[in-house]
Amino acid sequence: MRHTEVERELELELILSPEHSVPVPARLSYRSDDPYAVHIAFHIDSEHPVTWTFARDLLVEGVFRPCGGGDVRVWPTKAGGRAVVLMALSSPDGDALLQAPVPQVSAWLERTLRTVPPGAEGGRLGLDEALDQLLAR
C-alpha cells in the first residue's frame, strides 16, 4: 500500500502573556500510514526540533469548538480580528500555548481528510495484510 505524507509549514505564535507572543516556525505533518495522528514539529530549522503528536480528530474538532483534555487542549477564538485556533500543550518539561491561523490549518486538515477520509483510518493501518502474512507462515 502506497503511503502519502501531507505537510504544511507555517508560523505559529507562542503566547507568553496576554500582551506578548513570539513567532515559532512549525511544520504540520500527516502520514497515511499513521492515519489517526497529526504531528507538529516546532523550531524546524534547529538541530533538535520538538515534535508533538496527537489525534487528528482533536485538531479537526478544535477548529470549531473547544475539545481535548490532559496534555492537549484545542479551541477556536479570535485574535486581532482573525480566526485562530489555540493549542495548549502540557508535558513534564513545561507548558506551551500556541496560536495558529485557522485558514491555513483548515486547508491543511482538508488535504489530510482527502488523503484518508474520516472513518477510513482503520483500513490504512495494514492490519489485514499483516495478519494474512502471519497466518500464511
Side-chain angles (χ1 to χ4, degrees), residues 80-103:
R82 300 178 312 132
V84 297
V85 62
L86 291 174
M87 294 173 278
L89 308 176
S90 298
S91 79
D93 296 326
D95 301 331
L97 179 60
L98 294 144
Q99 174 181 296
V102 166

Side-chain angles (χ1 to χ4, degrees), residues 45-100:
D45 294 328
S46 70
E47 191 175 328
H48 302 288
V50 174
T51 301
W52 274 77
T53 301
F54 54 91
R56 176 176 70 167
D57 289 349
L58 192 62
L59 192 53
V60 169
E61 185 177 343
V63 168
F64 298 102
R65 67 188 139 276
C67 66
D71 295 346
V72 180
R73 292 176 296 128
V74 184
W75 67 97
T77 192
K78 295 267 189 215
R82 300 178 312 132
V84 297
V85 62
L86 291 174
M87 294 173 278
L89 308 176
S90 298
S91 79
D93 296 326
D95 301 331
L97 179 60
L98 294 144
Q99 174 181 296

Side-chain angles (χ1 to χ4, degrees), residues 30-45:
Y30 177 79
R31 296 189 318 263
S32 63
D33 62 337
D34 188 10
Y36 291 104
V38 294
H39 311 273
I40 303 176
F42 303 102
H43 303 293
I44 54 178
D45 294 328

